[in-house]
Amino acid sequence: MTSIPPLSSYPKREQAKRKEIIRRLTDPNYILAPYLEQHITSKNPIRDGFLPVGSDFRDFTVVENRGTFHAFYIDVRHGKHSRRPDNPFYNGHASTEDFMTWEIHRPPLLPIDGTWEGGRVGAPFVFPVSGLRNLEAMAGHKVRFVMIYTGLSERLCQSLGMAFSEDCMHWTRYDTNPAFQPVNLEWAEWSKTTLSNCRDPHVLKIGKNYFLYYTALMRNGDPCVAAAESTNLEDWTDRGPILGREFGDVMPAMLESACVYPIGKKYVLTYTHGGGVWYAISDDPLSFGAGEKLIDGYWAMEQVKVKGNRWLVAFFRQHARGRPGTMFLGILSWKGFKPSLRMCKARRDVQPLL
């Protein structure tokens, strides 16, 4: 695990800078996002981006179930910054077979007053599983999909919860939620009593082990991607920060929406920072360098489908062409460990990978 130097070890000017970063990231009124000004529906949501009516589409996941793709996403209704106490948001749900025609479903999860997720829920990641009898016994039904999601208390403390489904339509919460909190970790700036950072989960199974990735804040003021490990999705062992970078000057200044995928015999970490998506390659799924920027202006890249060396990927873009947050698709082609990206414009771009 990475050793984190205490704030007192930095020069006084650097200490002040890092304390200010911590203050900003624990102040719910620090930044206000633009209000929703315009909502334009599109006849070509591949070219113009998919946007549910009335929503400001943010951090999301896409999972396939029997030929249908399900998008679960943060549905921001007020268009204000997600850290504001007066901006409730929740997990939205939409599905499609071709990314042109969408059906909007009822929200899979809503906040529960007076609990660890009483403020809002969002930033979901959904992945298929099989043979997890411990979870099926708890849920009382077959579990084919697990959702790891971010819950916020009324004090905006962020924790991670789980829910289970057989069909992506009906969800049962884990009965001992929250499933994970970075509590009492020597490296993490986190508290149950104030705005705290533990969000944007992603899970990768390697062999018999599950690796949980999430974004957090270190006690020295640097944002990071951190990890935990489990064999059963219930008992987690902290693996500490796997990538730390300084707080940036361009939004998002934190590290956001981190995902780790296998590529050949290596692993690729993708994350959002400084106005775009970055990628880094490593032999070790628990240690990455900063890497290189893949694309500017788009956030939160998610792998949707893989065929050979080509990935169908999705992003969201904030306030594109006068619209709120909107989901776009791209084709990521790998030559060895070097990617090239082409944005999708029409059904014909997407169809070969479905």
Side-chain angles (χ1 to χ4, degrees):
M1 184 175 70
T2 303
S3 177
I4 307 302
L7 280 175
S8 59
S9 67
Y10 293 91
K12 288 187 176 180
R13 181 174 293 183
E14 184 68 12
Q15 284 186 44
K17 171 187 169 183
R18 290 170 177 267
K19 287 178 180 178
E20 174 63 13
I21 290 170
I22 292 173
R23 185 194 70 78
R24 292 180 180 184
L25 293 174
T26 54
D27 179 1
N29 292 305
Y30 171 54
I31 298 174
L32 301 183
Y35 285 85
L36 299 179
E37 295 180 352
Q38 190 177 7
H39 189 126
I40 305 170
T41 57
S42 169
K43 294 182 179 179
N44 184 349
I46 293 178
R47 179 193 62 205
D48 300 326
F50 166 65
L51 175 61
V53 173
S55 174
D56 192 348
F57 186 103
R58 302 297 175 90
D59 301 32
F60 67 96
T61 184
V62 179
V63 64
E64 185 179 6
N65 181 28
R66 295 170 179 163
T68 297
F69 295 88
H70 295 261
F72 299 91
Y73 52 91
I74 294 179
D75 195 323
V76 181
R77 288 282 150 169
H78 287 190
K80 302 174 187 177
H81 195 272
S82 59
R83 293 193 179 99
R84 283 187 60 90
D86 59 346
N87 182 16
F89 59 73
Y90 52 86
N91 283 334
H93 178 201
S95 64
T96 182
E97 294 181 0
D98 59 4
F99 293 92
M100 287 290 290
T101 302
W102 288 85
E103 182 179 358
I104 310 301
H105 306 285
R106 61 178 295 179
L109 298 176
L110 292 170
I112 301 176
D113 291 343
T115 71
W116 69 276
E117 53 183 332
R120 62 211 70 176
V121 292
F125 177 69
V126 177
F127 58 102
V129 297
S130 63
L132 292 176
R133 295 180 181 178
N134 59 317
L135 302 182
E136 293 183 343
M138 186 284 301
H141 58 75
K142 186 175 181 61
V143 174
R144 295 181 56 239
F145 297 94
V146 173
M147 177 188 292
I148 306 277
Y149 66 96
T150 306
L152 288 82
S153 68
E154 284 87 352
R155 293 178 177 268
L156 303 186
C157 166
Q158 300 172 359
S159 307
L160 302 182
M162 281 198 302
F164 314 115
S165 179
E166 185 176 358
D167 57 6
C168 284
M169 299 299 296
H170 305 90
W171 293 88
T172 303
R173 277 178 164 91
Y174 181 46
D175 62 0
T176 56
N177 271 336
F180 181 84
Q181 296 173 317
V183 62
N184 297 326
L185 301 183
E186 64 178 18
W187 59 266
E189 182 71 27
W190 189 90
S191 167
K192 291 183 179 180
T193 60
T194 187
L195 192 161
S196 294
N197 296 269
C198 173
R199 62 179 178 275
D200 298 358
H202 180 89
V203 174
L204 173 65
K205 189 178 183 184
I206 304 175
K208 295 182 178 180
N209 294 347
Y210 295 91
F211 290 83
L212 168 66
Y213 301 94
Y214 61 98
T215 57
L217 180 65
M218 295 189 286
R219 290 187 178 177
N220 66 352
D222 283 344
C224 71
V225 178
E229 186 176 354
S230 174
T231 58
N232 59 10
L233 294 178
E234 294 193 274
D235 304 302
W236 293 98
T237 300
D238 172 49
R239 294 303 182 214
I242 66 166
L243 169 66
R245 295 190 64 175
E246 289 193 2
F247 188 75
D249 298 321
V250 178
M251 294 299 293
M254 286 281 284
L255 306 187
E256 309 280 356
S257 304
C259 302
V260 177
Y261 303 107
I263 178 168
K265 295 183 179 180
K266 298 179 182 287
Y267 300 91
V268 55
L269 165 69
T270 66
Y271 64 97
T272 306
H273 180 64
V277 173
W278 294 67
Y279 76 97
I281 306 291
S282 176
D283 295 320
D284 184 350
L286 294 174
S287 179
F288 290 87
E292 301 179 43
K293 184 172 280 189
L294 177 67
I295 187 172
D296 264 317
Y298 294 85
W299 296 13
M301 189 182 86
E302 290 275 337
Q303 183 190 84
V304 177
K305 190 100 176 189
V306 176
K307 285 198 173 181
N309 68 339
R310 294 193 302 162
W311 296 5
L312 177 64
V313 296
F315 313 80
F316 82 87
R317 188 176 182 184
Q318 288 191 305
H319 311 292
R321 301 175 185 172
R323 307 169 78 199
T326 309
M327 189 183 82
F328 293 85
L329 299 171
I331 306 295
L332 191 65
S333 299
W334 291 92
K335 187 174 182 179
F337 300 110
K338 190 70 176 178
S340 61
L341 177 66
R342 175 173 59 89
M343 300 304 293
C344 298
K345 301 296 184 182
R347 187 197 305 262
R348 64 177 177 271
D349 296 328
V350 176
Q351 192 61 40
L353 276 85
L354 298 186

